[in-house]
Amino acid sequence: MNQEFAQQEIGMRFLAIDFETASSNANSACQLAAVEVIDGAVAGQHCWLIRPPRMYFSPRNIEIHGIRPQDVRSAPTMEEVWVELQSVVDGQILVAHNAGFDMGVLVASLAAYDIACPQLEFTCTRTLARAAWPGRQRYGLKPLGDWLGIAFKHHDALEDARACAEIAMAAAAAAQAADLGDLGAKLRVSRGRVHNGTICNPRRFGRSRAGRTGDASATVDSWGVPTRQSQRNPGAWNTAAVLAAAGTSRPLTGKRIWLLGPLSGLTMEASQDLIRELGGECVTGVDEHPHFVVTSGSAGPTANEQLRSGASDHASGESRAESSPPATAIRILSERQFRALLPAGKSVPWNS
């Protein structure tokens, strides 16, 4: 880790966890790691390969983490892992990056075996990082790890859990926090909870809502999307809020998205990262058969011209070779319409 973020002698105690899943189903955990931190140092670590209830591994997930069905065929189920994990989790505050996802996988994976998840408290290093280091464009685990000088192999559960632990400790050092509770108080981030199978995600608090004050920066709604009133001068998408709202679901799974320009307030790279984290695939032209084309005020005339001519050819079939797959009906969406595809947005049929 960079010297600037060297650990202090702090009384940090928590359990960092990370799941990898076989598919977009929340109960398809195929790897779990837990890293115990006591007094600001790693005191223990655990890692399990897990045999999911259904032995289906999506090609996309295999591409991400490299775990295949044959790797877990003889592995324990989540029911068997829980016998060991329960004593590790007991009494701990859990920490995860994009914690809503990992908590959702934990709850769903236990529910698959009729096991009730115990009451838990947790926090999210993505939310903590946004509060500790505001103004950065990317708060994913890998970009943050690279920035903080944390070397790790992304999408290996144990490596990711270690990186998550280091990010939490770096945030505590930056905020001069004595422990996890002090860190939440100083960064104004509430504690997340799991209660009776319901997940309440950590949230930043104490900030003005759009419209209640004259704060010009309050230009996004509670789901992280620029408000209608802010369209002339749109604010940045709050990617953490969008991902928290998505929770364990990946609402764009199986959909190819062509962005004609970056989403409001984000770079093109950050916009594409958000699409991928929501399960979508980013494409760059009609020939790649996009399901949705998202327009943007920053899309240049060349892109818009390409869309008009490409969509016309695509619809008529003039640009397809006989061996090409059948055309996908392209839907052209504004950013506001694109928002409707995400959690809490108005329902837009996928296959109309």
Side-chain angles (χ1 to χ4, degrees), residues 190-274:
S190 67
R191 189 75 55 79
R193 287 177 172 79
V194 178
H195 180 71
N196 292 335
T198 300
I199 300 169
C200 179
N201 284 309
R203 294 186 181 276
R204 296 175 66 184
F205 58 88
R207 297 180 298 167
S208 298
R209 291 179 180 269
R212 288 192 179 179
T213 72
D215 182 5
S217 65
T219 56
V220 296
D221 61 20
S222 60
W223 301 101
V225 180
T227 60
R228 188 179 299 276
Q229 292 82 359
S230 71
Q231 289 303 295
R232 290 187 179 180
N233 183 25
W237 280 53
N238 184 336
T239 54
V242 172
L243 292 170
T248 61
S249 70
R250 304 186 79 191
L252 299 181
T253 296
K255 301 301 171 185
R256 294 182 293 277
I257 315 294
W258 180 15
L259 295 176
L260 293 188
L263 299 173
S264 296
L266 301 181
T267 64
M268 179 60 88
E269 184 179 16
S271 300
Q272 291 173 337
D273 282 347
L274 177 61

Side-chain angles (χ1 to χ4, degrees), residues 18 85 91 325:
D18 185 83
L85 176 64

Side-chain angles (χ1 to χ4, degrees), residues 217-346:
S217 65
T219 56
V220 296
D221 61 20
S222 60
W223 301 101
V225 180
T227 60
R228 188 179 299 276
Q229 292 82 359
S230 71
Q231 289 303 295
R232 290 187 179 180
N233 183 25
W237 280 53
N238 184 336
T239 54
V242 172
L243 292 170
T248 61
S249 70
R250 304 186 79 191
L252 299 181
T253 296
K255 301 301 171 185
R256 294 182 293 277
I257 315 294
W258 180 15
L259 295 176
L260 293 188
L263 299 173
S264 296
L266 301 181
T267 64
M268 179 60 88
E269 184 179 16
S271 300
Q272 291 173 337
D273 282 347
L274 177 61
I275 299 298
R276 294 186 186 103
E277 291 201 57
L278 292 169
E281 176 186 354
C282 294
V283 300
T284 56
V286 174
D287 290 345
E288 296 180 77
H289 307 290
H291 294 89
F292 301 106
V293 177
V294 182
T295 62
S296 167
S298 56
T302 301
N304 286 318
E305 183 177 354
Q306 182 183 2
L307 171 62
R308 286 194 297 271
S309 62
S312 175
D313 289 346
H314 184 82
S316 65
E318 293 172 2
S319 64
R320 296 197 310 272
E322 290 184 2
S323 59
S324 297
T328 300
I330 296 176
R331 298 189 63 187
I332 302 172
L333 306 175
S334 67
E335 282 195 43
R336 299 301 303 180
Q337 291 170 322
F338 180 56
R339 174 259 174 91
L341 303 180
L342 305 179
K346 293 180 180 178

Side-chain angles (χ1 to χ4, degrees), residues 8-132:
Q8 299 178 349
E9 291 297 324
I10 50 181
M12 294 284 284
R13 177 169 183 169
F14 58 85
L15 187 72
I17 70 167
D18 185 83
F19 277 100
E20 299 296 331
T21 58
S23 69
S24 59
N25 290 331
N27 67 3
S28 67
C30 61
Q31 189 183 31
L32 165 64
V35 173
E36 186 175 7
V37 172
I38 299 177
D39 293 331
V42 173
Q45 55 188 31
H46 312 264
C47 188
W48 300 267
L49 285 174
I50 301 171
R51 186 172 76 252
R54 179 171 174 245
M55 288 290 284
Y56 168 72
F57 281 65
S58 75
R60 173 61 177 159
N61 287 47
I62 292 174
E63 180 184 350
I64 290 172
H65 51 56
I67 302 171
R68 299 175 179 275
Q70 57 266 33
D71 298 325
V72 301
R73 206 171 300 280
S74 300
T77 64
M78 189 63 188
E79 181 179 28
E80 294 168 310
V81 168
W82 181 243
V83 173
E84 184 177 353
L85 176 64
Q86 189 170 14
S87 62
V88 177
V89 169
D90 188 40
Q92 293 275 19
I93 297 171
L94 304 189
V95 176
H97 201 79
N98 192 21
F101 169 80
D102 294 279
M103 295 304 115
V105 172
L106 176 60
V107 170
S109 296
L110 291 176
Y113 296 96
D114 295 323
I115 300 172
C117 184
Q119 295 187 32
L120 299 170
E121 292 192 351
F122 66 94
T123 193
C124 176
T125 46
R126 187 178 193 126
T127 305
L128 293 173
R130 291 186 69 89

Side-chain angles (χ1 to χ4, degrees), residues 171-183:
Q176 297 185 325
D179 53 37
L180 210 56
D182 188 32
L183 178 61

